[in-house]
Amino acid sequence: MLGPTKVYRAQYQEPYCLRGMFGLSDTRNVAHGSDSETSAEREIKFFFPDFSFYKWHTSDELTFRKGPIIFNHHMFQHVRKL
């Protein structure tokens, strides 16, 4: 979906990926995606210090696998559509 990290490579190899269609340069590449699980964990901890990997894997992730989700504006969170 994001395509290769390098925008010019994305434009050549996967022109219909997000970076291929909308990226301008390697520093203005439309979106961020971590390049490994280790990087993702470090970056998530930096931007979302209260996020619990344990809670996500033991509770939340299982819920989202069970079916479509919607955003509940009153609760201000995503919930499984019943």
Side-chain angles (χ1 to χ4, degrees):
M1 193 162 163
L2 282 176
T5 304
K6 304 286 185 187
V7 168
Y8 299 114
R9 181 176 293 155
Q11 291 170 338
Y12 178 75
Q13 292 178 343
E14 297 182 44
Y16 297 109
C17 71
L18 292 174
R19 288 186 178 129
M21 291 190 295
F22 304 110
L24 300 176
S25 71
D26 291 342
T27 56
R28 297 175 69 193
N29 67 14
V30 176
H32 175 72
S34 301
D35 60 356
S36 69
E37 286 187 35
T38 303
S39 294
E41 189 170 335
R42 182 182 65 248
E43 292 163 3
I44 289 168
K45 284 180 182 178
F46 178 81
F47 288 106
F48 308 101
D50 296 332
F51 181 80
S52 167
F53 287 96
Y54 178 78
K55 182 178 180 289
W56 169 255
H57 286 291
T58 58
S59 174
D60 299 335
E61 195 264 348
L62 297 171
T63 300
F64 289 109
R65 280 185 186 226
K66 291 181 180 175
I69 59 170
I70 59 169
F71 185 73
N72 182 313
H73 293 279
H74 300 290
M75 296 172 61
F76 202 72
Q77 68 182 21
H78 287 90
V79 295
R80 191 167 62 102
K81 187 175 181 178
L82 300 174

